Amino acid sequence: MALKRAFAALALASGLLILPALAEEQEKCGQASYYPSEYTCYDDKTLCPIQFSLATKPCGGGCYSPEQYSCEDGTIKDLPEATSPFSLTFSGVRKTFRDLNVKACGRYLAVGANARECHACTAAGGTNCGSYQNSTVLLPGGQMASDVPGHQFWYIEPSSGILRYTEALAGNSSVWNATIPEKEFAAQNVKVYENGLFTWTREDATTHWWMACLVTLPGGAVGTARSWRIYAPTYVNMERGDCEIGRIVAKAVDRNAGAYKYP
């Protein structure tokens, strides 16, 4: 099914379309019948929908996403915006696209079995390379968790909507300013909740999902060495037929979980 039709379905009241798995048997929640792939039953009486493999929870007569809201005395409230360094995981509907770590390599962010996580370090100047855990870590202000001089930044490429990061550049480099104006990088149109969703805002709406689109890495034959790069769901990208849609969740981590440099 083309992504355009899939996103039209996502615009329904529940915000998504999940078809029951083949041969899946219904279960009972009180007097109601439900598919376990679509709903979670609480206290044998309340059904809450599963959204992109992520369970919602009951609160005050409704259901909420714990990746975006909290429930306090029966009232649903927004989670605070992220202040901590964070790693990212991608969860789609299919089992093979659940809780996948987002990895940085070659200035792209990707998921999947063949997605590479690249890091580099030099001991020159007394750098303790052993102090880094070399995981992909982002900072709320738009930087990558790297210590290379000039820093590195994550951003959404305006022309393609792809989630990328920069090479290390000098602090006020004219190369940086000419290549990616400051208004285009970092959290422009991106909102990150503390231990919650990593969201993107299009001109007409806030989207709580992203797209993982298939690529074949350079030098790999068709069908091999493939990974899934992360894209914002622009209207152009929604026409693609080689993508999975899902939610990205930010998890607070220690800054030292990052790397000295992401090549």
Side-chain angles (χ1 to χ4, degrees):
M1 180 173 65
L3 278 172
K4 186 174 183 179
R5 295 198 301 274
F7 274 86
L10 288 169
L12 296 174
S14 63
L16 61 145
L17 172 65
I18 301 176
L19 299 177
L22 293 177
E24 182 180 16
E25 294 185 2
Q26 289 188 327
E27 297 184 6
K28 285 287 188 180
C29 184
Q31 298 301 311
S33 298
Y34 72 101
Y35 287 105
S37 63
E38 295 181 352
Y39 293 91
T40 302
C41 178
Y42 295 93
D43 300 323
D44 196 33
K45 62 180 181 180
T46 303
L47 286 172
C48 286
I50 294 173
Q51 301 178 344
F52 298 111
S53 306
L54 302 173
T56 58
K57 297 182 177 181
C59 181
C63 296
Y64 74 100
S65 167
E67 291 80 28
Q68 186 177 359
Y69 305 101
S70 63
C71 179
E72 300 178 22
D73 298 323
T75 301
I76 297 175
K77 298 183 178 180
D78 285 329
L79 289 179
E81 291 192 39
T83 58
S84 306
F86 56 88
S87 61
L88 297 174
T89 56
F90 180 94
S91 289
V93 175
R94 292 198 294 162
K95 290 183 179 180
T96 52
F97 281 85
R98 295 180 184 175
D99 201 29
L100 298 179
N101 291 329
V102 176
K103 301 178 181 179
C105 189
R107 295 180 60 194
Y108 293 96
L109 291 153
V111 297
N114 293 303
R116 297 175 293 180
E117 194 159 48
C118 301
H119 54 85
C121 184
T122 173
T127 301
N128 180 8
C129 295
S131 65
Y132 300 97
Q133 298 175 31
N134 297 321
S135 298
T136 297
V137 179
L138 285 61
L139 305 182
Q143 290 188 23
M144 302 291 287
S146 63
D147 290 333
V148 62
H151 304 295
Q152 295 177 272
F153 297 83
W154 55 269
Y155 67 101
I156 297 174
E157 188 174 74
S159 61
S160 66
I162 193 169
L163 186 59
R164 303 191 64 179
Y165 63 94
T166 67
E167 297 277 5
L169 298 171
N172 294 314
S173 169
S174 60
V175 176
W176 162 261
N177 292 331
T179 305
I180 305 162
E182 184 175 351
K183 65 185 180 64
E184 299 291 5
F185 80 88
Q188 186 203 20
N189 298 335
V190 175
K191 185 174 184 179
V192 189
Y193 295 92
E194 188 78 10
N195 285 311
L197 291 180
F198 183 85
T199 68
W200 176 71
T201 301
R202 201 166 46 217
E203 291 182 358
D204 58 348
T206 297
T207 60
H208 298 153
W209 57 84
W210 295 78
M211 300 166 61
C213 300
L214 185 64
V215 297
T216 298
L217 301 179
V222 175
T224 64
R226 300 184 302 175
S227 65
W228 301 73
R229 289 178 180 168
I230 305 299
Y231 287 79
T234 63
Y235 288 114
V236 172
N237 289 338
M238 285 161 54
E239 297 288 345
R240 298 182 57 155
D242 57 349
C243 305
E244 294 281 336
I245 56 176
R247 285 186 167 180
I248 296 180
V249 177
K251 179 182 178 181
V253 296
D254 188 277
R255 194 186 189 288
N256 284 339
Y260 176 76
K261 179 181 179 180
Y262 298 99

